[in-house]
Amino acid sequence: MKITYTDRVRGSAYYAYHLALATWYAAAGPALSPTRFVIFGRGRSGSTALVNLLHQVDGVHCDGEILRHPVAFPRLHVDAMCARAAARSYGCKILSYQLGDVQNVPSGSAFLSSLHEGGYQIIYLKRNNLFRHALSNVHARQFNFHHNVQQGALQHHRMKVDPREILRWMKGSASLEAYERHILADIPHISVTYEDDLEDDTSHQATVDRICEHIGISSNSVQCEYKKLTPKSSLDLLINYDDVQSFLAKTPFAEYVSSGR
């Protein structure tokens, strides 16, 4: 019998620890943070930067992808992580694909509704340009996912890509976006857009200030510890940009290529 990734995680110390954590929370019922929020959206949309920025706000503990690996009780797991942090304000990141593909949550809408009804405010993180989103995913897998400022100067790497791979990523991203919009249709949330609110360092403080005001906490000065890995121009990123543009021009995603140039 083939042993899957999920089988390996469920047999690991990680799974056992978080099962114990959830059991502790269910039995002891420790207090949750008075202010709670969830960053929800797709990966490669600035979520790591946003987690880093919000974690710098006084009294805030913001975790990364707490549902990246399978856990026994996903909804209970969120509360258990919040209780463990014991912070005045707690936040975490949940990527949309993780609800179905990793946690096998039957209904993403019901899951996020339960979080909202349980006092978690939802921050919906979007990325508009599907072409640049696809390039970011491919680039991250070829080179690196993140670059901390403490690692020194960042060197951009040009790459040659298979246009069919870019199209596959764009289709997947579009599908996830539709899934996210469906989930959030009836759930109150605040929206943050990568291109407007996170891509440029100069917008970071205003973005954090707006989020803090929305969730009801005081903001303070923040500075992201991560740098953008890809240059703004796709011409500076792709060795075979013309080939990619020509291929995608025949698809429904042609508009994203010219706007992401």
Side-chain angles (χ1 to χ4, degrees), residues 14 18 21 37-39 51 61-71 73-82 84 90-95 98 102-103 111 115 120:
Y14 174 93
H18 286 287
L21 181 66
F37 62 89
V38 168
I39 300 168
V51 166
H61 179 97
C62 192
D63 279 330
E65 300 173 36
I66 65 171
L67 295 182
R68 183 177 183 178
H69 302 295
V71 295
F73 307 104
R75 176 62 186 86
L76 189 62
H77 179 75
V78 178
D79 280 346
M81 294 294 286
C82 176
R84 186 185 71 166
Y90 174 79
C92 63
K93 172 171 63 170
I94 297 176
L95 300 184
Q98 294 169 351
V102 180
Q103 303 301 335
F111 184 83
L115 284 171
Y120 292 84

Side-chain angles (χ1 to χ4, degrees), residues 148-166:
N148 193 298
V149 293
Q150 296 178 354
Q151 294 175 288
L154 173 63
Q155 291 185 335
H156 293 298
H157 299 279
R158 297 188 74 206
M159 60 182 184
K160 184 176 182 179
V161 298
D162 183 342
R164 293 168 297 182
E165 182 181 11
I166 297 301

Side-chain angles (χ1 to χ4, degrees), residues 14-261:
Y14 174 93
Y15 189 85
Y17 169 76
H18 286 287
L19 177 59
L21 181 66
T23 303
W24 160 77
Y25 172 75
L32 298 178
S33 301
T35 304
R36 305 182 288 282
F37 62 89
V38 168
I39 300 168
F40 176 73
R42 279 159 285 163
R44 309 306 305 164
S45 298
S47 58
T48 297
L50 188 56
V51 166
N52 179 257
L53 289 166
L54 290 172
H55 194 71
Q56 296 175 40
V57 176
D58 292 342
V60 172
H61 179 97
C62 192
D63 279 330
E65 300 173 36
I66 65 171
L67 295 182
R68 183 177 183 178
H69 302 295
V71 295
F73 307 104
R75 176 62 186 86
L76 189 62
H77 179 75
V78 178
D79 280 346
M81 294 294 286
C82 176
R84 186 185 71 166
R88 292 200 307 271
S89 300
Y90 174 79
C92 63
K93 172 171 63 170
I94 297 176
L95 300 184
S96 52
Y97 85 91
Q98 294 169 351
L99 297 184
D101 292 352
V102 180
Q103 303 301 335
N104 294 318
V105 170
S107 169
S109 297
F111 184 83
L112 279 196
S113 291
S114 173
L115 284 171
H116 182 261
E117 292 166 3
Y120 292 84
Q121 301 200 55
I122 309 300
I123 302 169
Y124 177 34
L125 180 57
K126 303 181 291 181
R127 183 158 184 168
N128 290 331
N129 192 291
L130 300 183
F131 177 57
R132 292 293 304 189
H133 190 215
L135 291 182
S136 179
N137 275 289
V138 173
H139 186 274
R141 283 157 178 79
Q142 285 195 20
F143 299 104
N144 198 2
F145 274 82
H146 309 293
H147 182 85
N148 193 298
V149 293
Q150 296 178 354
Q151 294 175 288
L154 173 63
Q155 291 185 335
H156 293 298
H157 299 279
R158 297 188 74 206
M159 60 182 184
K160 184 176 182 179
V161 298
D162 183 342
R164 293 168 297 182
E165 182 181 11
I166 297 301
L167 179 60
R168 179 177 63 82
W169 276 106
M170 293 176 76
K171 287 180 176 178
S173 183
S175 178
L176 275 177
E177 181 181 14
Y179 172 65
E180 292 159 6
R181 291 180 182 277
H182 171 73
I183 287 176
L184 291 169
D186 299 316
I187 301 174
H189 60 276
I190 183 176
S191 294
V192 175
T193 303
Y194 172 77
E195 287 86 352
D196 297 332
D197 302 317
L198 291 171
E199 184 174 23
D200 193 330
D201 291 356
T202 60
S203 61
H204 289 174
Q205 187 66 57
T207 300
V208 170
D209 293 345
R210 179 165 66 92
I211 291 173
C212 288
E213 181 178 9
H214 178 78
I215 64 180
I217 62 176
S218 298
S219 185
N220 53 253
S221 178
V222 296
Q223 185 174 2
C224 188
E225 297 173 351
Y226 293 93
K227 290 297 182 183
K228 188 176 182 301
L229 285 171
T230 58
K232 285 191 174 182
S233 172
S234 300
L235 293 170
D236 295 331
L237 176 62
L238 290 180
I239 296 171
N240 61 330
Y241 174 83
D242 290 341
D243 293 338
V244 175
Q245 182 186 40
S246 177
F247 178 84
L248 293 176
K250 306 178 184 68
T251 75
F253 300 101
E255 61 179 296
Y256 295 106
V257 183
S258 57
S259 61
R261 183 169 179 173

